C-alpha cells in the first residue's frame, strides 16, 4: 500500500491549534465541521464548514480553531510524483474555495467527498479504487487550479531575477532528498559554478550547501514531530549523508539534539491533551462524520435529457439587461458610414439602446495657451453624438483616456498606442468638464442628457490605489460639473476587472469610501482571466470557469455588501470570454452559445451589460485581409452576422414576463398566448484551451478544446395554458446552418474574396427556420428541443385562433 500513499494521502484531524510548520508536499486543508483561521506566510484566511484551501509546497502555515468542534481533513500530494508527471519543479496552485468561486470547485468538492467516503478502504482491494480517485483529484487540480509555467507574469516586481530565484528555490525543494551539488544546478541554469555560488550567497545570504541543508532541516523537523521515524532514517530520507551531519545542522539552529527537541515538544503536547485520547477522539469523530454525511455517488448522472416545468399563471418581472449596451469604440468611429450602418442594424435586430464610446478628449482638438487661454473644439464629438441622438440611441460616455490596442492575448499585442492624458492639473480638467457639461446641455437639452450615462475608468495612471490618487479628483470634478446642471445625470465608474482586481477590491473600495462623493453606479469588466499572487509574484491566467461572469460578479457584490458600498446600479460595461482580437473562437458557433449562456445566467444579477464589442471594424489592421480574423465583434468588417450576433437576435425573441430559466434555457411569455424559449448547448473549455496561445488556436482544432461534444435533449412543460393549437417557429444556428465560419471553411478559407462571394457568405450566414404544430391538452403544452454541441435555438410559440 506504500505505492498508493506515495501518490496522495489524507488524514482527519481535530486539533484546535497547529503551530507554524511547512512541508514539501502541497496540502489541501478541508473543513468538515466548525471553522478555522489559517495563516499562510503573512496572509490570513478564514475557512468555514465546507470550504477548502490548497497550501503550496514549502509555505509556512499554522491554523487555529475559531468555531468549536473543529474537524478537518489534511490531503497531501507527493511533490516528487507531480514533478515526474508534469516535467517541471515550478509547481504552484491557486485553489481557495473561500475566496474564489467557479464550477471547478464544485467538481473538486464532489471528488474530495467521494475520497473521504473511502477512508476505511485504504487497504487491500479498496485501495485500488481510492488510488483512482487520487489521480482524479490531481487531474482537476492541474487542469483548473495550477498556475502554468508560461502564464503571463504581469507586475513590475516580476523580473528575470525574480524568476531565477524562484527556479533555484523549486529545484532545491524538489531535489533536497537527493545528493545534489552546485554543479548540477549550474548546468540546469546554464551558469558557471563561480557565478552561481556568488549569486546564491548574495540573494540568500547563505552558501549553496548551507541553503540546501536549511531546506533539508526544515523538512526533517516536520518528520521529527509528526512521525515515529528513527533519527537516522529521518536524516537519510531528507538528504543528510549521515546522522552526524543532521545532528550538527540541527544543533546550529535549535541548540539541542534532534532527540531532545522531539522529547521536549511532545511533552508540551501531552500537557495540553493526552495523545491517545486525542487519537481516539479523532477516530470517533471521523466515524460520526462519515455516518452522518450524504454518500456521494461514484457515477455521474447523464445530463443529455432534462425536463423543466413552468406555470404560465405564475410569472415574474425581469429586465433584459443583456441588450442595454453595445461597445463601439472611440467617438470618431461614429463618423464612419460603415460603422453607422452596423450600429443601426444592431439597434433594429438586437434591441441595443445604449452605445458605449470613449476617448472624447483628444490632443488635436485641445489648445491651452497662456496668452490666448484655454479652448477645446467639440465639433467632432458633436457629429458622433448627433448620429446617435438622431436615431434615438443613448450615449454611454467613458470619460477617460483608453489606450488603443489590437490584442493577441491578455499580455501580447499586435498594435498598441498609448493615449496620453492631456490634462495634467486640476484647473484644466475642471474647465474642460464644466465646458463639456454646459455644451451638451445647450446642444441636446436637459431631458435628453438625463437619460445618458457617464463613466470614468480607473486608468492605472490615475492611481486609484492611493486614497489621494488622481482618479478620485477626476471623478469628483466630472461628477460635480454634471450634477450641478442636474442631479439626475448619472455618473459612475470605475471599471473594476473581475478576477483580475480581486486582490485589490477592498483597498480600492476603501479608498473610495473615504471620499465624500459616491458613484451613482459601479461598472465592472468581465473577461475570463484571473490575476493570482504567489511567492510575491503576480500571475495572469485564463480561467476555465464555465460560469466566470456570474461567479465573479457574485464575489464582487459580496464584498460591496461587506464594505457597505452597494451602488444603485451595477453595470458590466465590458464582457467576453477573451480580450483577444485574434482568437478564431470569436467567429464560431461555440461563441454564440457562450454569449447566450452568459446572458441567461446574468438575468437579475446586474442591471446593465455591455458586450465587447459590436463590430470587427474596431480592430481592422494590416493582418485583416480575410473575411474573418478572430476579432470579437458581432458583425464582421463586411457586416456579415456571426453566431454571436444571432445569440443576441434570438434573445430578442424573449417576451416581457419571465416563466423560468435553466442552465440551458430561458422561458418567457407575454401573458397572452405567446411563449418564447431560447436555449443553447454551450460547452466547457478543457485544460488544453489554457495551454494554447489564443492567437495560435486553429479552426480545425477547436473541438479538442472542450470537455465534451455531446448533444443535449431538453424537454419543457408549460402548464395552465389555453388548450388548442399552437404554431412554433424554430430558429437555429449550428455548424451546418448560419455559421459564417463554416461557410468560409467550405470556401477553403480563401482570403481575397470578390464582392459577389462576400454577398454569398452574407446570404449563407442565416439561421435555419422550421415550422411545427403543437397542441395543448389539459392545460399543458409540451415542447422538446435537441441541440448539437455549440448550437443555439429560439422557439417562438403562438396560440392559433
Amino acid at each position: 500500500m506504500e505505492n498508493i500513499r506515495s501518490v496522495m494521502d489524507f488524514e482527519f484531524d481535530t486539533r484546535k491549534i497547529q503551530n507554524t510548520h511547512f512541508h514539501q508536499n502541497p496540502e489541501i486543508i478541508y473543513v468538515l465541521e466548525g471553522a478555522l483561521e489559517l495563516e499562510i506566510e503573512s496572509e490570513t484566511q478564514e475557512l468555514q464548514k465546507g470550504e477548502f484551501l490548497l497550501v503550496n509546497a514549502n509555505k509556512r502555515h499554522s491554523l487555529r480553531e475559531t468555531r468549536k468542534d473543529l474537524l478537518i481533513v489534511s490531503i497531501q500530494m507527493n511533490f516528487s510524483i507531480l514533478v515526474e508527471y508534469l516535467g517541471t519543479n515550478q509547481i504552484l496552485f491557486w485553489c481557495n474555495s473561500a475566496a474564489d468561486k467557479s464550477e471547478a470547485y464544485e467538481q473538486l468538492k464532489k471528488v474530495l467527498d467521494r475520497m473521504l467516503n473511502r477512508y476505511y478502504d485504504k487497504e487491500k482491494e479498496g485501495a485500488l479504487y481510492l488510488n483512482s480517485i487520487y489521480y482524479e483529484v490531481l487531474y482537476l487540480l492541474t487542469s483548473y487550479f495550477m498556475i502554468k509555467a508560461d502564464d503571463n507574469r504581469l507586475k513590475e516586481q516580476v523580473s528575470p531575477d525574480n524568476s531565477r530565484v524562484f527556479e533555484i528555490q523549486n529545484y532545491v525543494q524538489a531535489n533536497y532528498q537527493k545528493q545534489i551539488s552546485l554543479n548540477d544546478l549550474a548546468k540546469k541554469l546554464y551558469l558557471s559554478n563561480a557565478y552561481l555560488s556568488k549569486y546564491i550567497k548574495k540573494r540568500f545570504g547563505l552558501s549553496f550547501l548551507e541553503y540546501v541543508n536549511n531546506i533539508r532541516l526544515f523538512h526533517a523537523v516536520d518528520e521529527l514531530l509528526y512521525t515515529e521515524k528513527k533519527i537516522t532514517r529521518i536524516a537519510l530520507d531528507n538528504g543528510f549523508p549521515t546522522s552526524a551531519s543532521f545532528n550538527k545542522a540541527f544543533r546550529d539552529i535549535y541548540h539541542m539534539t534532534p532527540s531532545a527537541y522531539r522529547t521536549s515538544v511532545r511533552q508540551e503536547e501531552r500537557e495540553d491533551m493526552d495523545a491517545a485520547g486525542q487519537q481516539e477522539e479523532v477516530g470517533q469523530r471521523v466515524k460520526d462524520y462519515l455516518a452522518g454525511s450524504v454518500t456521494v455517488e461514484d457515477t455521474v448522472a447523464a445530463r443529455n435529457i432534462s425536463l423543466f416545468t413552468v406555470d404560465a399563471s405564475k410569472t415574474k418581472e425581469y429586465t433584459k439587461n443583456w441588450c442595454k449596451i453595445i461597445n463601439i469604440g472611440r467617438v470618431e468611429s461614429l463618423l464612419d458610414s460603415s460603422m453607422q450602418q452596423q450600429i443601426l442594424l444592431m439597434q433594429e435586430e438586437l434591441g441595443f439602446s445604449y452605445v458605449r464610446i470613449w476617448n472624447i478628449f483628444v490632443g488635436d482638438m485641445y489648445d491651452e495657451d497662456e496668452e490666448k487661454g484655454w479652448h477645446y473644439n467639440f465639433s467632432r464629438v458633436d457629429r458622433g453624438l448627433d448620429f446617435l441622438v438622431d436615431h434615438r440611441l443613448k450615449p454611454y460616455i467613458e470619460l477617460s483616456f483608453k489606450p488603443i490596442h489590437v490584442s493577441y492575448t491578455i499580455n501580447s499585442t499586435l498594435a498598441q498606442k498609448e493615449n496620453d492624458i492631456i490634462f495634467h492639473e486640476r484647473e484644466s480638467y475642471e474647465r474642460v468638464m464644466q465646458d463639456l457639461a454646459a455644451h451638451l446641455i445647450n446642444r441636446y437639452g436637459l431631458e435628453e442628457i438625463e437619460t445618458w450615462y457617464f463613466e470614468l475608468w480607473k486608468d492605472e495612471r490615475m492611481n486609484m490605489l492611493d486614497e489621494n490618487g488622481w482618479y478620485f479628483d477626476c471623478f469628483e470634478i466630472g461628477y460635480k460639473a454634471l450634477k450641478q446642471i442636474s442631479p439626475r445625470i448619472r455618473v459612475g465608474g470605475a471599471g473594476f476587472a473581475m478576477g483580475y482586481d480581486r486582490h485589490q477590491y477592498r483597498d480600492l473600495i476603501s479608498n473610495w469610501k473615504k471620499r465624500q462623493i459616491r458613484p451613482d453606479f459601479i461598472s465592472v469588466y468581465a473577461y475570463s482571466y484571473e490575476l493570482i499572487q504567489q511567492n510575491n509574484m503576480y500571475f495572469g491566467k485564463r480561467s476555465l470557469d464555465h460560469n466566470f461572469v456570474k461567479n465573479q460578479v457574485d464575489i464582487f457584490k459580496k464584498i460591496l455588501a461587506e464594505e457597505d458600498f452597494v451602488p444603485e446600479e451595477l453595470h458590466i460595461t465590458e464582457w467576453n470570454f477573451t480580450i483577444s482580437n485574434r482568437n478564431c473562437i470569436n467567429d464560431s458557433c461555440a461563441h454564440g452559445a457562450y454569449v447566450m449562456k452568459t446572458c441567461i445566467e446574468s438575468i437579475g444579477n446586474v442591471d446593465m451589460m455591455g458586450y465587447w464589442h459590436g463590430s470587427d471594424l474596431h480592430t481592422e489592421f494590416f493582418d485583416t485581409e480575410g473575411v474573418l480574423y478572430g476579432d470579437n465583434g458581432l458583425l464582421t468588417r463586411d457586416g456579415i452576422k456571426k453566431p454571436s450576433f444571432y445569440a443576441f437576435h434570438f434573445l430578442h425573441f424573449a417576451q416581457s414576463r419571465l416563466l423560468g430559466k435553466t442552465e440551458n434555457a430561458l422561458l418567457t411569455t407575454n401573458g397572452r398566448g405567446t411563449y418564447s424559449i431560447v436555449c443553447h448547448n454551450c460547452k466547457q473549455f478543457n485544460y488544453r484551451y489554457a495551454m494554447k496561445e489564443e492567437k495560435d488556436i486553429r479552426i480545425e482544432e477547436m473541438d479538442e478544446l472542450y470537455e465534451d461534444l455531446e448533444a443535449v435533449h431538453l424537454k419543457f412543460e408549460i402548464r395552465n395554458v389555453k388548450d388548442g393549437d399552437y404554431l412554433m417557429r424554430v430558429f437555429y444556428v449550428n455548424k451546418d446552418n448560419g455559421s459564417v465560419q463554416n461557410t468560409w471553411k467550405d470556401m477553403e478559407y480563401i482570403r481575397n474574396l470578390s464582392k459577389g462571394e462576400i454577398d454569398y457568405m452574407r446570404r449563407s450566414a442565416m439561421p435555419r427556420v422550421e415550422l411545427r404544430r403543437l397542441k395543448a391538452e389539459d392545460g399543458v403544452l409540451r415542447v422538446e428541443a435537441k441541440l448539437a454541441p455549440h448550437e443555439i435555438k429560439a422557439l417562438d410559440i403562438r396560440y392559433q385562433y
Side-chain angles (χ1 to χ4, degrees):
M1 295 307 102
E2 191 64 32
N3 287 335
I4 289 178
R5 289 201 176 102
S6 68
V7 176
M8 182 183 294
D9 199 8
F10 67 99
E11 295 295 339
F12 293 87
D13 201 336
T14 60
R15 283 179 291 169
K16 296 182 179 181
I17 296 177
Q18 290 187 28
N19 293 322
T20 300
H21 63 287
F22 71 94
H23 31 75
Q24 176 66 24
N25 295 328
E27 176 187 20
I28 295 176
I29 297 174
Y30 183 3
V31 179
L32 306 178
E33 301 288 348
L36 60 82
E37 180 182 85
L38 180 64
E39 186 172 338
I40 306 174
E41 301 293 350
S42 59
E43 297 183 2
T44 301
Q45 175 68 59
E46 295 278 346
L47 289 182
Q48 305 296 324
K49 179 179 178 179
E51 296 177 338
F52 53 88
L53 180 150
L54 189 148
V55 181
N56 280 298
N58 300 294
K59 287 289 186 181
R60 297 177 181 274
H61 57 283
S62 62
L63 64 84
R64 66 178 185 86
E65 179 184 74
T66 58
R67 186 176 300 167
K68 67 177 184 177
D69 298 328
L70 180 65
L71 175 64
I72 67 171
V73 63
S74 170
I75 305 163
Q76 291 202 16
M77 293 150 278
N78 189 298
F79 187 80
S80 298
I81 288 183
L82 286 177
V83 169
E84 287 180 29
Y85 274 111
L86 300 175
T88 177
N89 56 30
Q90 298 190 41
I91 299 174
L92 282 175
F93 297 95
W94 166 258
C95 180
N96 182 351
S97 71
D100 200 5
K101 186 177 181 180
S102 81
E103 192 175 77
Y105 284 104
E106 291 303 315
Q107 293 181 46
L108 180 57
K109 188 174 187 298
K110 288 178 182 178
V111 177
L112 293 178
D113 287 341
R114 281 168 49 203
M115 185 177 74
L116 302 188
N117 285 326
R118 295 282 176 164
Y119 180 64
Y120 290 107
D121 294 335
K122 285 189 173 185
E123 303 297 332
K124 300 181 180 179
E125 293 84 357
L128 295 174
Y129 181 76
L130 188 57
N131 197 36
S132 72
I133 301 178
Y134 289 161
Y135 280 103
E136 192 172 353
V137 171
L138 293 180
Y139 170 76
L140 290 172
L141 286 172
T142 54
S143 296
Y144 298 106
F145 301 101
M146 184 176 173
I147 303 171
K148 306 295 191 299
D150 58 349
D151 280 330
N152 299 313
R153 301 176 186 185
L154 300 159
K155 293 294 180 182
E156 291 180 359
Q157 63 263 40
V158 181
S159 63
D161 194 47
N162 294 131
S163 183
R164 178 172 291 166
V165 169
F166 188 43
E167 193 165 1
I168 292 170
Q169 290 173 331
N170 277 280
Y171 177 80
V172 174
Q173 289 161 356
N175 296 281
Y176 72 94
Q177 294 169 306
K178 306 172 185 176
Q179 295 305 307
I180 55 176
S181 68
L182 180 68
N183 186 55
D184 297 331
L185 180 57
K187 287 181 179 179
K188 182 176 178 61
L189 297 178
Y190 303 101
L191 300 172
S192 69
N193 284 17
Y195 176 82
L196 181 59
S197 177
K198 292 179 181 179
Y199 180 85
I200 291 174
K201 185 70 174 179
K202 179 180 178 181
R203 292 305 306 264
F204 294 91
L206 302 167
S207 69
F208 175 73
L209 181 59
E210 289 171 334
Y211 175 64
V212 172
N213 278 341
N214 269 271
I215 296 297
R216 289 169 172 164
L217 183 61
F218 289 136
H219 292 289
V221 169
D222 209 32
E223 293 192 352
L224 193 67
L225 297 180
Y226 300 112
T227 73
E228 299 300 327
K229 283 185 178 181
K230 294 181 179 180
I231 303 297
T232 300
R233 174 51 55 191
I234 291 174
L236 297 177
D237 285 350
N238 286 282
F240 289 99
T242 64
S243 57
S245 62
F246 176 43
N247 274 304
K248 181 181 184 305
F250 199 94
R251 280 180 177 274
D252 288 343
I253 300 296
Y254 293 94
H255 309 295
M256 65 176 72
T257 65
S259 177
Y261 182 79
R262 171 185 267 178
T263 300
S264 65
V265 171
R266 291 190 171 181
Q267 178 61 36
E268 292 177 4
E269 289 182 349
R270 280 194 291 270
E271 292 174 358
D272 292 335
M273 183 176 189
D274 176 73
Q278 182 185 28
Q279 189 60 37
E280 184 178 341
E281 178 200 348
V282 172
Q284 188 59 49
R285 291 284 305 281
V286 169
K287 290 178 181 178
D288 293 343
Y289 172 79
L290 294 178
S293 65
V294 178
T295 302
V296 180
E297 294 294 331
D298 292 335
T299 57
V300 180
R303 297 173 57 197
N304 64 326
I305 299 178
S306 59
L307 173 65
F308 185 59
T309 302
V310 295
D311 189 333
S313 66
K314 298 177 181 178
T315 62
K316 299 178 181 178
E317 292 184 358
Y318 78 108
T319 300
K320 296 182 181 181
N321 58 1
W322 63 80
C323 61
K324 296 291 186 180
I325 312 168
I326 187 65
N327 285 282
I328 291 300
R330 293 165 291 169
V331 67
E332 55 261 38
S333 64
L334 297 177
L335 308 182
D336 180 270
S337 60
S338 296
M339 183 66 83
Q340 290 179 353
Q341 292 174 14
Q342 294 194 12
I343 291 172
L344 295 179
L345 177 64
M346 287 184 279
Q347 178 191 27
E348 178 182 0
E349 297 194 19
L350 308 183
F352 288 114
S353 52
Y354 283 89
V355 173
R356 186 166 176 265
I357 51 176
W358 48 89
N359 289 357
I360 63 171
F361 300 122
V362 291
D364 61 351
M365 304 297 281
Y366 172 70
D367 182 57
E368 188 171 9
D369 187 271
E370 292 183 3
E371 296 181 1
K372 297 180 181 180
W374 174 91
H375 177 69
Y376 193 93
N377 180 1
F378 290 109
S379 61
R380 191 181 297 165
V381 176
D382 291 341
R383 294 199 303 276
L385 296 181
D386 286 350
F387 164 74
L388 297 180
V389 173
D390 288 347
H391 291 90
R392 298 180 182 176
L393 287 163
K394 304 295 182 183
Y396 195 117
I397 300 175
E398 211 290 307
L399 294 167
S400 62
F401 296 82
K402 276 185 174 291
I404 302 167
H405 284 172
V406 178
S407 299
Y408 278 145
T409 67
I410 189 65
N411 204 40
S412 172
T413 58
L414 172 65
Q416 179 172 340
K417 180 181 178 183
E418 291 299 328
N419 191 10
D420 293 334
I421 298 175
I422 61 177
F423 311 112
H424 299 288
E425 65 281 328
R426 185 181 185 90
E427 182 180 355
S428 61
Y429 191 64
E430 282 180 338
R431 292 181 64 183
V432 75
M433 283 306 304
Q434 288 169 0
D435 275 23
L436 173 66
H439 179 83
L440 294 177
I441 295 296
N442 291 333
R443 187 174 182 87
Y444 301 105
L446 187 60
E447 290 185 2
E448 173 66 27
I449 303 300
E450 287 176 342
T451 64
W452 299 6
Y453 284 90
F454 296 86
E455 176 192 10
L456 184 66
W457 168 56
K458 62 173 189 59
D459 189 325
E460 288 188 2
R461 293 170 294 182
M462 293 182 173
N463 195 13
M464 196 178 181
L465 280 171
D466 183 345
E467 63 181 84
N468 297 312
W470 178 228
Y471 177 85
F472 299 108
D473 288 336
C474 290
F475 180 82
E476 290 171 4
I477 288 168
Y479 185 96
K480 290 175 181 178
L482 292 161
K483 291 286 188 176
Q484 70 182 3
I485 295 174
S486 171
R488 298 178 65 181
I489 296 175
R490 291 163 290 190
V491 186
F496 296 96
M498 298 288 92
Y500 233 64
D501 287 336
R502 181 174 54 196
H503 61 290
Q504 298 178 342
Y505 287 159
R506 294 190 187 276
D507 291 337
L508 295 169
I509 293 168
S510 175
N511 288 341
W512 215 342
K513 285 174 63 177
K514 295 173 184 177
R515 312 292 291 211
Q516 293 183 345
I517 295 177
R518 289 195 172 193
D520 297 320
F521 64 90
I522 286 181
S523 61
V524 300
Y525 298 173
Y527 300 98
S528 295
Y529 303 91
E530 298 176 283
L531 190 65
I532 294 167
Q533 183 180 12
Q534 289 290 330
N535 291 353
N536 297 317
M537 293 187 287
Y538 289 87
F539 296 84
K541 67 188 296 285
R542 274 173 276 169
S543 172
L544 298 178
D545 179 12
H546 198 44
N547 303 315
F548 179 87
V549 174
K550 182 181 184 304
N551 287 333
Q552 293 300 322
V553 168
D554 286 345
I555 291 171
F556 184 66
K557 288 172 68 174
K558 182 174 183 288
I559 292 175
L560 288 176
E562 291 171 354
E563 296 291 332
D564 189 26
F565 202 72
V566 179
E568 294 181 13
E569 297 180 25
L570 179 61
H571 300 176
I572 305 179
T573 48
E574 297 179 15
W575 68 271
N576 202 339
F577 82 100
T578 177
I579 202 169
S580 173
N581 305 116
R582 298 295 183 266
N583 183 336
C584 64
I585 296 174
N586 282 317
D587 303 321
S588 71
C589 289
H591 191 40
Y594 161 80
V595 167
M596 182 177 286
K597 173 188 183 300
T598 303
C599 291
I600 291 174
E601 72 184 12
S602 297
I603 292 173
N605 208 29
V606 294
D607 297 287
M608 300 177 75
M609 297 176 67
Y611 174 78
W612 182 267
H613 48 249
S615 172
D616 285 359
L617 288 167
H618 179 71
T619 62
E620 193 174 20
F621 209 60
F622 69 77
D623 65 334
T624 59
E625 299 98 333
V627 66
L628 298 173
Y629 38 88
D631 191 28
N632 33 33
L634 300 177
L635 292 163
T636 73
R637 172 193 58 200
D638 301 296
I640 302 174
K641 301 168 184 175
K642 299 185 189 180
S644 52
F645 179 98
Y646 288 118
F648 283 108
H649 182 60
F650 289 178
L651 284 162
H652 199 43
F653 280 88
Q655 301 294 315
S656 58
R657 304 288 300 180
L658 177 66
L659 286 167
K661 63 175 183 172
T662 72
E663 180 182 352
N664 295 90
L666 172 68
L667 289 78
T668 59
T669 180
N670 66 354
R672 303 178 65 185
T674 297
Y675 304 92
S676 169
I677 301 174
V678 290
C679 48
H680 64 85
N681 185 7
C682 182
K683 295 302 183 181
Q684 182 174 0
F685 285 122
N686 62 26
Y687 71 94
R688 295 187 188 92
Y689 172 68
M691 303 289 287
K692 296 284 292 186
E693 285 286 341
E694 293 176 84
K695 65 181 177 62
D696 295 330
I697 296 172
R698 300 175 66 238
I699 297 174
E700 296 82 359
E701 66 186 12
M702 283 195 301
D703 285 350
E704 301 172 8
L705 307 181
Y706 294 91
E707 285 288 351
D708 69 83
L709 293 174
E710 296 176 357
V712 296
H713 184 182
L714 307 177
K715 295 184 177 182
F716 307 97
E717 284 188 357
I718 307 175
R719 297 181 177 178
N720 286 319
V721 303
K722 186 175 182 178
D723 285 347
D725 294 328
Y726 289 79
L727 182 65
M728 180 170 72
R729 295 184 300 161
V730 182
F731 303 80
Y732 55 95
V733 171
N734 54 33
K735 289 185 177 180
D736 298 321
N737 301 279
S739 169
V740 61
Q741 188 178 72
N742 290 89
T743 299
W744 194 31
K745 176 182 178 182
D746 294 338
M747 302 171 75
E748 297 186 349
Y749 306 121
I750 294 174
R751 300 174 73 82
N752 297 310
L753 300 178
S754 68
K755 182 179 183 300
E757 290 160 344
I758 293 292
D759 289 339
Y760 166 77
M761 292 189 71
R762 184 178 292 106
R763 293 192 302 273
S764 299
M766 296 286 288
R768 182 73 178 266
V769 183
E770 296 178 357
L771 296 178
R772 299 177 191 170
R773 293 188 181 278
L774 302 175
K775 193 174 189 66
E777 297 177 337
D778 300 323
V780 179
L781 182 63
R782 294 178 174 86
V783 185
E784 294 188 21
K786 297 179 181 179
L787 293 94
H790 311 310
E791 185 172 13
I792 57 175
K793 282 189 175 182
L795 284 57
D796 183 59
I797 307 166
R798 297 174 185 267
Y799 180 78
Q800 299 297 290
Y801 290 93

